[in-house]
Amino acid sequence: MSATFDPRNRYLITGGTLPDGTTADVLIEDGLLAAVGQDARARAGTSAEAAAAETINATGRIILPGLVDLHTHLRQPGREDSETVETGTRAAALGGFTSVHAMANSTPVADSAGVVEQVWQLGREAGWCDVHPVGAVTVGLGGERLAELGAMAQSRAEVRVFSDDGMCVWDPVMMRRALEYVKAFDGVIAQHAQEPKLTDGAQMNEGALSSVLGLAGWPAVAEEAIIARDVLLAQHVGSRLHVCHVSTAGSVEIIRWAKERGIEVTAEATPHHLLLTEELVRTYNPVYKVNPPLRREEDVMALREGLADGTIDTIGTDHAPHTAETKECEWTVAAMGMTGLETALPVVQQALVDTGLMDWAGISRILSSTPARIARLTDQGRISSEGVFELGAPANLTVYDPSVIRAVDPESHATKSRNSPFRGMELPGQVTDVFNHGHPVVRDRALATPRTQHQQNQHQQQLKQQTGSAQQ
């Protein structure tokens, strides 16, 4: 049941804790961050429009910049039985995300300007968060011909991230050409690192357990070999590479090596690879079947350390909804993937904050500012390296209560699918309020109202006017 309220353009968030640990008030006016700290309450109290401002008590809660996901599967067009842009972005908003990147493996594949513009427009019509389509690297994800990279970059969707996720760009010549091509518009290739010849028929992580369970193994080297090749290609052509869903300790070491040499590589880890291990496969429950597979405890610890020391740059949910028919079946024929948008921040809190590996400034870095920078999002809520919000930036904010403990119930989730690996687990924290460009899309733990296209058009015009004034 959605919460109802009278939408306004002025909001005062009081008593919240900022990422840098300070307690402050935040004032939102006309979609922008108008004041932070003592100035916020003073400005709200002295303004002639103060009566129109709605107050949100955030005492005991964290005020984060809106979360950005570089890796989401919204399934539309073509697989609306498992997810739509509408249902997926509802889930994203409830998870605290103000921007998501929709992967290209839809039906038809998002390999042309027409398809990415369709996905972009569906996101605008839904209005729960910003939707940025990810363009395919190759036509139909087939790995044989480059897709319309330039046309997608110049489309209304302004695509800057390209990926064949679900499939690896396995041909080194094709990968080199893609890396060279996107340099022209500062794009990035997001690689699904999986050597297909080494993973043919693979069902789970290769090791002693896969032998015991009688399931074909998925070796770590299948991921690591592609990452090693691609960081060298990125260095050779001087282009940007992003590695999707890193899952092994060896991969972390290769990325660390590449960064030490100044190679422009970034990487993501998923929430499920930060918490779950291959031991869950003993149940033969297909909800734990995912690509790349759940790995060893040593890999989980390496991923956490990699995020803490900056080797891994961000969290990508790899939200992969599936129907019951394709997931609740025999392990060997079940689809690979897990839902993750609505549980991402609680999992990150448990794996990184509650363990003392990272503070909330670090979480804002890996879940907001860094993915926004990788994707070249210029209209995201900006935050400094010290975790301080920038005045005049778009008010993309997530208010989060880290004190509550909840059992995960996928039946209550907004996503259309129920394949959450965290079903029944008790996780800390809950998103309570989310502002997308100053509009409250989540209030008091429930969906409120979407941001309308009229509001989006007004905001775009406002940003253009601000940019023009700054250039004069």
Side-chain angles (χ1 to χ4, degrees):
M1 192 73 179
S2 296
T4 59
F5 70 102
D6 179 22
R8 302 165 181 173
N9 62 0
R10 301 184 73 250
Y11 300 88
L12 179 65
I13 306 173
T14 63
T17 302
L18 302 185
D20 65 355
T22 61
T23 300
D25 302 330
V26 176
L27 180 65
I28 299 170
E29 287 183 341
D30 296 323
L32 304 177
L33 288 168
V36 177
Q38 294 180 346
D39 293 343
R41 196 181 294 258
R43 177 165 174 168
T46 58
S47 171
E49 295 85 16
E54 183 175 347
T55 301
I56 296 98
N57 184 357
T59 302
R61 300 174 187 174
I62 311 295
I63 304 176
L64 295 167
L67 311 185
V68 178
D69 188 6
L70 290 177
H71 195 146
T72 308
H73 296 274
L74 297 181
R75 302 303 189 203
Q76 195 174 8
R79 289 307 309 269
E80 290 83 357
D81 54 343
S82 56
E83 194 76 288
T84 66
V85 172
E86 172 72 27
T87 58
T89 54
R90 281 173 173 253
L94 286 169
F97 292 90
T98 54
S99 285
V100 297
H101 288 73
M103 279 296 177
N105 59 342
S106 53
T107 307
V109 171
D111 57 8
S112 67
V115 179
V116 296
E117 285 194 350
Q118 178 187 359
V119 175
W120 175 81
Q121 183 60 35
L122 286 168
R124 285 172 60 83
E125 291 171 358
W128 296 105
C129 69
D130 296 343
V131 175
H132 303 279
V134 173
V137 177
T138 65
V139 175
L141 310 182
E144 296 180 353
R145 291 184 294 122
L146 284 182
E148 299 177 4
L149 307 184
M152 289 187 280
Q154 295 169 12
S155 71
R156 290 186 300 162
E158 297 181 334
V159 177
R160 290 296 178 271
V161 183
F162 299 87
S163 180
D164 276 2
D165 184 62
M167 304 293 289
C168 178
V169 183
W170 57 269
D171 185 334
V173 175
M174 187 64 62
M175 188 62 178
R176 173 182 175 169
R177 288 175 179 169
L179 287 166
E180 289 173 331
Y181 199 106
V182 298
K183 286 177 63 177
F185 41 81
D186 197 22
V188 62
I189 301 297
Q191 174 70 295
H192 174 109
Q194 177 191 351
E195 170 52 60
K197 294 293 186 180
L198 290 174
T199 55
D200 186 26
Q203 295 289 316
M204 67 169 292
N205 181 54
E206 181 179 278
L209 184 58
S210 63
S211 297
V212 170
L213 299 181
L215 294 173
W218 190 307
V221 70
E223 174 176 304
E224 296 158 8
I226 293 294
I227 296 174
R229 181 201 74 178
D230 286 351
V231 295
L232 293 175
L233 285 174
Q235 180 184 42
H236 181 68
V237 303
S239 190
R240 294 200 296 138
L241 169 71
H242 180 73
V243 184
C244 296
H245 43 49
V246 173
S247 70
T248 77
S251 295
V252 176
E253 286 304 311
I254 294 167
I255 294 164
R256 185 175 286 121
W257 175 89
K259 287 191 169 187
E260 289 172 351
R261 283 152 183 78
I263 301 172
E264 273 201 280
V265 57
T266 55
E268 70 189 34
T270 72
H272 46 273
H273 284 113
L274 294 178
L275 201 59
L276 310 178
T277 73
E278 65 175 1
E279 285 297 318
L280 290 166
V281 182
R282 289 184 184 274
T283 65
Y284 289 98
N285 185 341
V287 76
Y288 302 120
K289 187 177 181 181
V290 66
N291 181 350
L294 299 179
R295 303 287 190 180
R296 306 165 304 160
E297 182 71 18
E298 302 95 303
D299 297 305
V300 170
M301 293 300 108
L303 294 176
R304 293 183 184 184
E305 292 290 344
L307 281 159
D309 68 21
T311 301
I312 301 177
D313 301 84
T314 183
I315 299 288
T317 67
D318 196 7
H319 173 78
H322 291 290
T323 63
E325 291 78 10
T326 59
K327 198 65 176 170
E328 297 175 14
C329 53
E330 261 183 73
W331 177 281
T332 54
V333 297
M336 295 181 179
M338 305 166 167
T339 60
L341 285 167
E342 292 166 80
T343 51
L345 195 48
V347 170
V348 168
Q349 179 186 339
Q350 180 163 316
L352 297 176
V353 179
D354 292 353
T355 56
L357 285 171
M358 296 185 75
D359 58 17
W360 287 107
I363 299 305
S364 74
R365 170 176 58 81
I366 65 173
L367 275 171
S368 183
S369 57
T370 297
R373 174 181 55 80
I374 293 169
R376 300 300 192 250
L377 302 184
T378 58
D379 61 348
Q380 276 301 117
R382 294 182 293 275
I383 188 168
S384 72
S385 58
E386 293 78 24
V388 179
F389 292 104
E390 294 185 15
L391 299 185
N396 292 309
L397 299 174
T398 295
V399 182
Y400 181 72
D401 183 353
S403 66
V404 301
I405 302 292
R406 295 186 302 148
V408 176
D409 177 18
E411 304 306 320
S412 69
H413 289 174
T415 175
K416 206 169 185 178
S417 298
R418 298 291 173 259
N419 53 303
S420 169
F422 306 109
R423 180 187 292 269
M425 289 183 62
E426 289 193 341
L427 293 176
Q430 183 176 15
V431 172
T432 62
D433 302 88
V434 178
F435 290 84
N436 180 20
H437 297 277
H439 179 80
V441 292
V442 173
R443 285 299 319 278
D444 194 21
R445 302 174 175 82
L447 289 169
T449 62
R451 184 166 163 252
T452 67
Q453 288 200 52
H454 174 68
Q455 291 171 318
Q456 294 175 48
N457 291 337
Q458 280 188 322
H459 186 63
Q460 288 298 320
Q461 186 61 36
Q462 182 184 49
L463 288 175
K464 288 179 181 179
Q465 290 173 350
Q466 289 177 337
T467 302
S469 298
Q471 292 175 344
Q472 290 178 358

